[in-house]
């Protein structure tokens, strides 16, 4: 362990304290007791439901030290959790980080990891409230917990899609998986994180998620963490419906210079873009840009129970969920 | 992965559903949406603060597959979190399990692990509400999150001890570390888990913690997860006080047949007994048995800022916190 467990806790605690300070005047205190007791004590807002999500970020599975700068690992680790809160239309309040470190890890790696995580946390006014630390038996292991809130009974679920609803997606898809493909294909060529922000510094769509929930636009919502094909299948399964989407309508990310659109396969199955995929009744007028993010209609919900893709020649085929296994894994 | 991620989620989901059912009639629903959405949606009790704790259980660090049956790993994993809730005087409500499994792990291991965890959860009427699953880059990795509640402003902190307060501990200490010492000393001799329940199936002291909080007996409290010397140091540090304890007063666990008391060192530094260590003003009459658990006065809080141990000859020496590093680690 680069610092003994206690020193690391002390460091996270300082981070937690400094992260709490800026908001102390602007809103009621959520974290009554943070790092340094058996539990964190939270005072969650009245007349709200609580949201809880947990996400692993494991070295060799979710990131690689030779591919990802520590700031990116910290950012992506938290982005996963914040994006889950966004997909419920919620607001993040408190973050818990469980972090296991190999004994030979340099302290500078930990500092930069925490800086990346804290930077994103501050952008969304969420504070580090606790967690656990341990020595790792192998590789860097992080598990992030985000606690958020949403007005009572208003959480947007995956299960509300109805036949006839239109399907929308925010931003562009496939950009994150495209970066992984490039790193796999050229192991000795380091990508510039600034040139591939969708992979290294994805932005959870919290403002968009809250807007959609407040305006009562949406019938169901999920984030595109597993890839469009898999995440749409989740909505269909939970809602007991099917879907038809148009391949030409899918907004594909642009990478490189000169920019080119990523392959359709990456946009369909790539995942880890942390955009929002949602459905809305046909009569709702969904703006094409919300909170600075493009919103695109890509298809509609059907009764069928299956997901179909219309290609550019008007041919229809089954769209099978192929997410994580094929496109997202950094290892193997 | 013994089952694909989705199948494991489906299994945990069934567990979560069956675990929720028995309590559905006896109390208001806490978990509105569990496994199967981006976040769990919880309706926490009004006029209560929320408690959150996260704890790693990592193979080779916290347990060994050749030492611990899967049921014990699942039980101990959850016991760590429940014990943190007990130490705040709280009530557990919802459990989140992040579980990463090596690809070659047998499904029966997972089933037995879940059974051990579920069995303890049901005893304390807490339900599995979500989590994450992943392939592990090495070894079995679990992170448990427990969300609980306590009446507003009533959480028992580590920071409330005052000079003159008496120090108490529940149960007996050193039994868990004694089992580890035996397994280390005799690697080829398997211990019977039933003969060493303090190590393999520790009981979090939830009823005791709640009783002490409700009766307003305690000024500070912590669980003995890191060992008496370390946990008492935590209380002193957070409360800005010192302590004096008597070695002869420390209740030591009995192991083996014929039973013999564990060494003082194990009782002082052993940890993972998940008993409660607490302080109470001198004038409070603390029963010697609460909720079926023995409660022993072991010393008192002082102004000094340091922790001292009086031995049986009346000699006083500094008690340094030596917890985890020396006595609890299963590896190295």
């Amino acid at each position: 362990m680069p610092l003994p467990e206690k020193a690391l806790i002390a460091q996270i605690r300082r981070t937690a304290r400094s992260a709490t300070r800026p908001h102390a005047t602007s809103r009621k205190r959520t974290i009554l007791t943070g790092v340094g007791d058996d539990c964190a004590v939270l005072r969650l807002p009245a007349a709200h439901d609580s949201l809880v999500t947990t996400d692993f970020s494991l070295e060799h599975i979710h990131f690689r030290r030779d591919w990802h700068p520590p700031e990116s690992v910290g950012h992506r680790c938290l982005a996963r959790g914040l994006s889950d809160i966004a997909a419920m239309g919620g607001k993040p309040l408190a973050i818990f980080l469980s972090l296991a470190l190999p004994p030979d890890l340099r302290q500078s790696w930990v500092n930069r990891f925490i800086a990346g995580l804290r930077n994103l946390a501050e952008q969304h006014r969420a504070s580090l409230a606790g967690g656990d630390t341990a020595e790792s038996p192998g590789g860097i292991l992080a598990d992030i917990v985000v606690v958020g809130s949403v007005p009572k009974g208003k959480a947007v679920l995956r299960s509300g899609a109805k036949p006839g609803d239109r399907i929308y997606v925010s931003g562009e898809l496939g950009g994150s998986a495209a970066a992984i493909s490039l790193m796999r294909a050229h192991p000795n060529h380091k990508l510039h994180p600034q040139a591939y922000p969708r992979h290294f510094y994805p932005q959870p769509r919290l403002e968009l998620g809250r807007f959609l929930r407040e305006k009562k636009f949406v019938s169901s919502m999920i984030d595109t963490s597993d890839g469009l094909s898999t995440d749409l299948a989740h909505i269909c399964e939970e809602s007991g419906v099917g879907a038809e989407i148009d391949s030409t309508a899918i907004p594909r990310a642009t990478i490189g210079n000169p920019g080119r659109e990523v392959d359709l396969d990456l946009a369909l199955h790539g995942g880890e873009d942390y955009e929002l995929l949602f459905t809305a009744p046909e009569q709702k007028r969904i703006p094409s840009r919300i909170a600075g993010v493009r919103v695109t209609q890509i298809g509609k919900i059907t009764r069928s129970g299956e997901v179909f893709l219309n290609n550019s020649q008007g041919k229809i085929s089954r769209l099978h969920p192929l997410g994580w296994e094929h496109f997202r894994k950094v290892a193997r």
Side-chain angles (χ1 to χ4, degrees), chain A residues 167 228-229 232-233 236 241-248 250 268-269 298-311 314-321:
Chain A
I167 304 169
L228 176 60
S229 61
L232 184 53
C236 290
V241 296
E244 254 181 62
I245 58 173
D246 295 313
S247 67
T248 53
I250 294 167
L268 281 173
H269 309 296
I298 60 167
K300 63 169 195 267
I301 294 295
T302 64
R303 289 187 192 283
S304 78
E306 286 169 358
V307 181
F308 292 96
L309 179 72
N310 299 329
N311 77 2
K315 235 184 99 184
I316 294 183
S317 58
R318 282 284 300 279
L319 179 66
H320 296 283

Side-chain angles (χ1 to χ4, degrees), chain A residues 45 47-49 51 85-92 148-157 205-221 276 278-280 284 286 290:
Chain A
H48 280 63
D49 289 329
L51 305 172
I85 300 286
M88 313 297 285
K91 180 178 172 166
S149 73
V150 68
K152 228 171 180 173
K154 302 295 183 199
V156 183
L157 305 182
R205 302 302 189 192
L206 283 155
E207 215 186 321
L208 170 60
R210 280 204 295 277
F211 181 92
L212 291 170
R213 191 254 305 150
E214 283 166 7
K215 296 288 181 193
K216 302 186 175 62
F217 277 150
V218 289
S219 51
S220 73
M221 187 151 62
L276 293 178
F278 60 94
T279 59
K284 298 272 181 192
I286 308 292
I290 301 174

Side-chain angles (χ1 to χ4, degrees), chain A residues 62 68 71-83 116 119-121 123-124 172 175-177 179 193 196-206 223-225 271-275:
Chain A
H62 301 94
H68 298 95
E71 293 86 352
S72 164
V73 178
H75 178 106
R76 293 172 81 232
C77 171
L78 179 57
R80 299 188 69 189
L82 292 180
S83 181
N119 193 27
L120 182 63
Q123 279 174 46
H124 296 287
E172 291 84 28
S176 179
Y196 297 88
R198 284 171 200 282
H199 178 72
F200 291 98
Y201 296 98
Q203 292 302 323
R205 302 302 189 192
L206 283 155
D223 74 329
T224 62
S225 55
E272 285 198 332
D273 288 310
Y274 302 111
E275 297 294 347

Side-chain angles (χ1 to χ4, degrees), chain A residues 117-130:
Chain A
L117 190 149
R118 185 177 55 186
N119 193 27
L120 182 63
E122 283 176 358
Q123 279 174 46
H124 296 287
R125 304 182 141 234
S127 302
L128 200 58

Side-chain angles (χ1 to χ4, degrees), chain A residues 46-48 67 78 82 84 98 115 189 191 266 275 283 285 304 310 324 327:
Chain A
H48 280 63
W67 284 3
L78 179 57
L82 292 180
D84 285 328
S98 292
H189 177 74
L191 290 190
L266 291 175
E275 297 294 347
Q283 69 277 14
R285 296 230 150 269
S304 78
N310 299 329
W324 171 250
F327 293 93

